[in-house]
């Protein structure tokens, strides 16, 4: 589970970026809103869109797609 935040100020394209707590591009403490714990950026996006329709995920911390693969041993 990761902790996600929504930027309070828009970027140059007018988007309010969603960041994971450990992201190197996360805004300062006073320039972000806590969204909560989620498994990934897509889940955080669902909540963020209710707060701000111009929300979008950070390409650095939320752009990575992780797929879990289980391999059956014989």
């Amino acid at each position: 589970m990761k902790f996600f935040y929504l930027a309070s100020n828009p970027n140059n394209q007018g988007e309010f970026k969603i960041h994971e707590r450990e992201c190197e591009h996360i805004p300062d403490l006073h320039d972000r809103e806590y969204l909560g714990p989620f498994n990934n950026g897509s889940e955080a996006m669902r909540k963020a869109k209710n707060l701000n329709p111009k929300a979008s995920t950070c390409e650095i911390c939320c752009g990575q797609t992780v797929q879990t693969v289980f391999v059956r041993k014989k």
Side-chain angles (χ1 to χ4, degrees), residues 35-68:
L35 291 174
F38 298 96
N39 290 314
N40 55 53
S42 297
E43 290 180 9
M45 173 69 88
R46 281 187 249 148
K47 179 174 181 180
K49 284 290 189 180
N50 288 329
L51 299 172
N52 188 327
K54 292 188 177 186
S56 66
T57 54
C58 170
E59 296 80 16
I60 304 300
C61 64
C62 300
Q64 301 171 359
T65 303
V66 177
Q67 182 177 7
T68 304

